[in-house]
Each structure stands twice: as structure tokens, then as C-alpha cells.
Amino acid sequence: MRKLFLLIVLFSTLNVSATCYSDYLEEVYSKEHNTKVKIISKDEHIDKYEQKIGDNFISSIVYGVGYLKIPKCKKIRITYICLLKNCDSKPVWGYIIPR
């Protein structure tokens, strides 16, 4: 019974849901393409950066891989990156790179 419980916990933690970072990128790219864009995040990492870029202090860099889905189009594998002012704030900048 314990092994079954551990397997259920393990498989439930493997799925990554949308984060505020992918939500931010969805919002930006939806405005750019004038249609609803969906980003499915598969793997995401946050690294501490804590340096100034110009006049902005950047505390962390978030990067990940996943899929970009535009209506009536095939989904595209992507890598994305976001810069954060604070760990708990909305991203300052983000970019999607098709793979």
C-alpha cells in the first residue's frame, strides 16, 4: 500500500501546471498575435541572479521548456525565459524561442 501511495504522489508531482511566468508570456504573445495563445510548461527552473541591468535590479531568471499552442495551428516546442525584479513579482521581460 505504501508503494502505491508513493507512486501516486510521484506521478502527480510530475505534471507542471501553468505558472505566473507562462501566464505573463501568454498575455504578451496573445496581444502580439491578436489571438489567444496557450503555453503548456513542461519543465521550469528559477535561478538567482541578483544584479543590475541598466537601472533595473533583476533578482531571478526563470527559464523552461514547453509547448506553444495557437488556435488552428500545430503546437510548437519552445524554450522561454523571463526576468524578475523580485521573486514574488510579475516578470519584467520575457521571450519565447521556438525549438
Side-chain angles (χ1 to χ4, degrees):
M1 186 65 178
R2 185 182 297 176
K3 289 181 183 179
L4 178 62
F5 177 73
L6 289 174
L7 283 174
I8 291 171
V9 170
L10 177 65
F11 286 121
S12 66
T13 59
L14 291 179
N15 295 333
V16 177
S17 60
T19 62
C20 64
Y21 317 116
S22 60
D23 290 342
Y24 168 77
L25 290 171
E26 283 179 7
E27 181 183 316
V28 169
Y29 280 84
S30 291
K31 287 178 184 175
E32 185 178 308
H33 291 285
N34 295 326
T35 186
K36 180 68 175 156
V37 172
K38 179 71 178 159
I39 296 175
I40 300 116
S41 178
K42 293 294 179 185
D43 191 19
E44 188 172 88
H45 305 281
I46 299 175
D47 287 339
K48 293 285 185 195
Y49 186 65
E50 298 181 347
Q51 290 187 14
K52 284 187 94 172
I53 297 178
D55 293 334
N56 295 323
F57 177 78
I58 303 299
S59 69
S60 302
I61 298 175
V62 177
Y63 59 95
V65 295
Y67 295 98
L68 174 73
K69 182 67 178 127
I70 300 172
K72 299 181 182 179
C73 294
K74 188 177 178 181
K75 68 181 178 179
I76 303 166
R77 291 186 66 183
I78 60 166
T79 300
Y80 61 90
I81 185 168
C82 293
L83 301 179
L84 307 175
K85 276 191 176 180
N86 299 320
C87 291
D88 57 349
S89 70
K90 201 171 184 184
V92 178
W93 175 85
Y95 191 70
I96 293 177
I97 305 163
R99 299 188 335 158

